[in-house]
Amino acid sequence: MSAAPAATGRARPSPGTRRRRLQGLGDLPAALVFILPATVGFVAFLLWPTLRGIWLSLTDSTAFQPGGFVGLANYERMVADPVFWNAFRVTIWYVVLNIGVQTVLAVLVAVLMHRLTRSMIVRGIILTPYLVSNVVAAMLFLMLLDYQLGFVNEVVEGLGWDRVMFFGDQSLVIPTIAMVNVWRHLGYTALLVFAGLQTIPANLYEAGRVDGASELRMFREITMPLLRPYLGLVLIVTMIGSFQVFDTVSVTTQGGPANASNVVQYYIYEVAFSRGYDFGYASAMSVALMVVLATISIVQFRATRANQNDMA
Amino acid sequence: MTTTAPAPAPPGTGTVTPASAPRRRRRLRRPGLGRVLGWVVLVLVMLATLFPFYWMLRTALSTNAALPGGAADPLPVGFSTEGFRRALGLATPAESLADGGSGASLDFPRYLLNSVVVATLVTAGQIFFSAMAAYAFARLRWPGRDVVYSVFLAGLMVPVIFTLLPNFLLIRDLGLLDTLAGIALPTTIMTPFAVFFLRQFFAGISVEVEEAAKLDGAGRFRTFFTIILPMASPAVATLAILTYMTAWNDYLWPLLVSQSEDSRVLTLALGIFRAQAPQSAPDWAGLMAATLLAALPMLLLFGLFARRIVNSIGFTGIK
């Protein structure tokens, strides 16, 4: 029996035919009320903007006025835009460095925690950077890596090397930003991997030890194979986040020097809000970025389905 | 550092293997070279994690004039709290300039309040409305349920950045640019993740409890508010903390919407404070004091809820 949606059951529908008719619909009246607010939010701020974003990419809209349909002109411009391709290359390079280093370190830290300690304190400490914003993380490293007063450059000089312009050198700026974000996300990623490790039955390690296997061998033959599906999932999720890098660039270099850190998301922001307010072109690049991310997401959903236990 | 208090799994997590306790005791009896090396690496990682925070505190308590002379000094050089006074806008422009500040200041209490308002609105609204939807998806039977749920889930695939420009236009058309409501609104009603997260949890609550309530004559709404929500409070609390954190740390969306002090949240204020610092000789003491003030609320939150937050990473699986 389903209660009337109008509230506390005081409003009693006339019995008989009405109730029989409602039976086929299950809890529909109540369900509609329950999902109404979320559906409004979903349509207004997710579904409609998604469609509108795709439409905008086919127009010459600006921030100030809606434009007319221009077909694929924005996409043609994108394909011919060297700054876009530079941004794309820079972003890929960033993701490779960021995710590569972060994943290797996260697995190392997670395995060490798994084999050495269950300490909440250790886990808490490594997670701390994740609690502060990207802006705060960027500020910390601006100071630490400063050319004149930064601690790291004091150490570099103390070791007899030349001081390094971490944020000012075209070939170092992306590695530097990638490492700042490794610092912020390492603990988080390690805990994700750690959660995966805990799904591995402990008796496998017992058996390994009885057989006299070394820790290294157990890592290769027990940990890695059983962790791999989970790791795939972690990798894809962190990659999607990594592709959207913006905050750190905005605070530290604003795309410089000479576009060396002008990642896609930053370029989109610039095109839309500081250079010409060109929403049409910015939307086209957003669509391109979404296609890249959607490809990764689809792989993620596949992996999730193949490995549902680890998700729950 | 070696306190290995066994972590009791809070309700709904269950991340600790029961076999861990005896195994640990046995392992501790033979500390081989590998274990020592392992601990060395782990301790180094923890030091590298905490060092930037320490350096922030140390620099915030230094004076700019003394910094060049002791750039590698592990303790504050020329100890002073002027940096904090500048960051808080308590120093006069003349004082500020004399200490190497830019004369610009942060109206810290105001930005703090703005951040609190936005993060609270987002958290309360998002969780309440997402929970309602999650309940309908998890516990009610109605035609079309699975289809609608898949559509919601598909929303997970739309990256946040993609909706930024259209949402900016929408917020502008609603006349909400440069308001806290404009910053909060797009995530105040729902996120697919929150619906997904809560649905998983609601689906795990035993049906008998709900049946009993129904026999007592409780309607769907009373059941939801008096039975389901309280039973799900661990999950709700976890999600609330994560949502609050995300809203608090957001930078790009407020950057688009906010145009003046009225709607400036902390992350933005910090970015602006940095942009105003002279490039040649930045006011490091003031900048680090401001950074510390901006980071402090989240660090305090972490101090209060560390265990829950740490466990939530395993529990939510993926966010």
Side-chain angles (χ1 to χ4, degrees):
Chain A
M1 189 189 86
S2 56
T8 54
R10 249 177 296 129
R12 208 166 276 281
S14 64
T17 54
R18 173 104 189 265
R19 190 173 298 163
R20 256 198 307 281
R21 193 151 39 85
L22 286 177
Q23 222 110 64
L25 298 174
D27 302 312
L28 187 64
L32 284 180
V33 177
F34 273 107
I35 66 164
L36 181 70
T39 307
V40 170
F42 180 79
V43 171
F45 295 108
L46 204 58
L47 184 62
W48 168 241
T50 303
L51 300 175
R52 192 175 183 186
I54 295 170
W55 164 250
L56 282 172
S57 77
L58 303 172
T59 70
D60 57 0
S61 304
T62 68
F64 310 109
Q65 57 192 34
F69 182 76
V70 294
L72 295 175
N74 287 320
Y75 293 93
E76 282 159 17
R77 179 176 161 194
M78 181 174 85
V79 174
D81 181 357
V83 185
F84 171 76
W85 285 111
N86 173 69
F88 198 73
R89 266 194 310 275
V90 166
T91 309
I92 298 278
W93 178 225
Y94 167 83
V95 171
V96 167
L97 284 174
N98 176 241
I99 296 300
V101 174
Q102 178 174 293
T103 310
V104 170
L105 284 178
V107 169
L108 176 72
V109 169
V111 168
L112 285 176
M113 284 195 302
H114 186 61
R115 305 302 286 148
L116 293 175
T117 175
R118 289 287 181 276
S119 165
M120 252 317 170
I121 296 172
V122 172
R123 277 188 266 171
I125 287 176
I126 63 159
L127 189 64
T128 314
Y130 185 66
L131 272 289
V132 300
S133 60
N134 287 321
V135 182
V136 166
M139 295 294 297
L140 295 183
F141 281 89
L142 269 178
M143 169 70 217
L144 279 171
L145 302 176
D146 185 64
Y147 185 78
Q148 281 161 350
L149 298 179
F151 177 77
V152 174
N153 264 323
E154 292 290 319
V155 173
V156 165
E157 201 179 48
L159 293 172
W161 294 318
D162 287 336
R163 285 176 178 260
V164 184
M165 289 182 59
F166 287 99
F167 288 105
D169 183 308
Q170 289 196 32
S171 56
L172 283 179
V173 62
I174 281 296
T176 301
I177 292 172
M179 292 315 119
V180 171
N181 288 331
V182 167
W183 177 78
R184 179 161 182 260
H185 290 102
L186 174 62
Y188 175 72
T189 317
L191 286 182
L192 286 181
V193 177
F194 185 75
L197 286 173
Q198 287 182 319
T199 63
I200 301 175
N203 58 16
L204 288 181
Y205 293 101
E206 296 290 335
R209 195 169 293 111
V210 169
D211 289 349
S214 67
E215 284 285 340
L216 210 62
R217 180 134 181 254
M218 287 199 280
F219 175 75
R220 272 207 321 270
E221 315 218 331
I222 301 173
T223 310
M224 272 325 271
L226 289 171
L227 191 63
R228 192 162 294 137
Y230 198 89
L231 203 58
L233 213 60
V234 171
L235 209 68
I236 290 152
V237 169
T238 48
M239 266 172 77
I240 289 177
S242 190
F243 261 101
Q244 304 183 50
V245 58
F246 174 87
D247 304 357
T248 323
V249 172
S250 169
V251 173
T252 58
T253 65
Q254 308 192 322
N259 281 335
S261 64
N262 196 350
V263 293
V264 172
Q265 186 53 33
Y266 194 78
Y267 185 48
I268 292 174
Y269 167 78
E270 266 196 340
V271 167
F273 290 97
S274 58
R275 284 188 200 163
Y277 302 93
D278 195 340
F279 268 43
Y281 185 40
S283 297
M285 289 191 287
S286 294
V287 171
L289 187 52
M290 182 167 73
V291 169
V292 172
L293 295 180
T295 314
I296 297 172
S297 294
I298 288 164
V299 179
Q300 175 200 349
F301 269 59
R302 290 253 168 83
T304 311
R305 231 176 293 137
N307 196 36
Q308 243 154 13
N309 285 348
D310 288 351
M311 267 298 279
Chain B
M1 221 75 85
T2 46
T3 37
T4 47
T13 55
T15 45
V16 174
T17 47
S20 65
R23 204 152 36 87
R24 179 170 54 241
R25 228 170 289 128
R26 207 173 318 139
R27 272 190 277 126
L28 281 181
R29 246 180 271 135
R30 29 174 201 153
L33 183 66
R35 299 185 58 76
V36 174
L37 265 179
W39 270 111
V40 168
V41 173
L42 215 47
V43 168
L44 282 179
V45 169
M46 285 190 281
L47 285 178
T49 300
L50 292 181
F51 182 74
F53 289 113
Y54 172 71
W55 208 249
M56 162 177 76
L57 178 67
R58 167 261 183 206
T59 309
L61 291 171
S62 302
T63 43
N64 289 317
L67 273 175
D73 206 318
L75 291 174
V77 278
F79 184 90
S80 134
T81 51
E82 279 303 307
F84 285 96
R85 289 194 60 223
R86 281 199 298 285
L88 287 167
L90 299 174
T92 64
E95 280 179 320
S96 164
L97 289 170
D99 281 327
S102 64
S105 68
L106 287 177
D107 187 356
F108 185 80
R110 174 185 217 151
Y111 311 137
L112 180 72
L113 185 67
N114 284 348
S115 278
V116 167
V117 169
V118 167
T120 307
L121 266 178
V122 167
T123 306
Q126 185 184 125
I127 290 186
F128 182 72
F129 296 126
S130 297
M132 284 175 65
Y135 178 68
F137 289 130
R139 307 308 287 252
L140 302 181
R141 319 227 165 288
W142 43 286
R145 182 183 71 173
D146 296 344
V147 178
V148 177
Y149 184 56
S150 344
V151 173
F152 269 55
L153 275 193
L156 278 172
M157 306 234 300
V158 180
V160 186
I161 56 155
F162 187 71
T163 52
L164 285 176
L165 297 184
N167 271 337
F168 172 83
L169 293 178
L170 182 58
I171 290 298
R172 188 195 60 191
D173 295 344
L174 290 171
L176 291 175
L177 276 192
D178 203 21
T179 64
L180 294 177
I183 296 178
L185 193 58
T187 43
T188 295
I189 307 184
M190 62 88 69
T191 60
F193 176 77
V195 175
F196 167 75
F197 179 94
L198 290 168
R199 198 209 81 107
Q200 298 298 89
F201 198 86
F202 290 163
I205 293 175
S206 112
V207 188
E208 281 87 37
V209 188
E210 222 182 330
E211 293 296 325
K214 213 193 275 181
L215 285 180
D216 288 344
R220 285 302 188 186
F221 293 88
R222 238 178 75 202
T223 311
F224 174 68
F225 285 111
T226 61
I227 312 244
I228 299 290
L229 266 190
M231 283 188 77
S233 54
V236 169
T238 298
L239 182 63
I241 294 169
L242 291 180
T243 309
Y244 202 87
M245 245 174 65
T246 310
W248 187 278
N249 287 337
D250 197 12
Y251 175 72
L252 177 49
W253 175 247
L255 179 68
L256 304 189
V257 175
S258 170
Q259 291 156 351
S260 75
E261 292 242 312
D262 298 336
S263 63
R264 191 169 293 163
V265 293
L266 266 181
T267 46
L268 272 188
L270 189 58
I272 290 169
F273 196 61
R274 135 86 179 149
Q276 286 169 342
Q279 295 297 314
S280 50
D283 170 18
W284 283 120
L287 282 171
M288 287 300 107
T291 306
L292 195 150
L293 291 172
L296 203 57
M298 279 300 109
L299 293 177
L300 289 178
L301 188 82
F302 191 41
L304 282 175
F305 299 109
R307 186 174 292 272
R308 186 178 287 282
I309 294 175
V310 167
N311 279 317
S312 76
I313 306 297
F315 173 54
T316 59
I318 302 296
K319 180 169 185 192

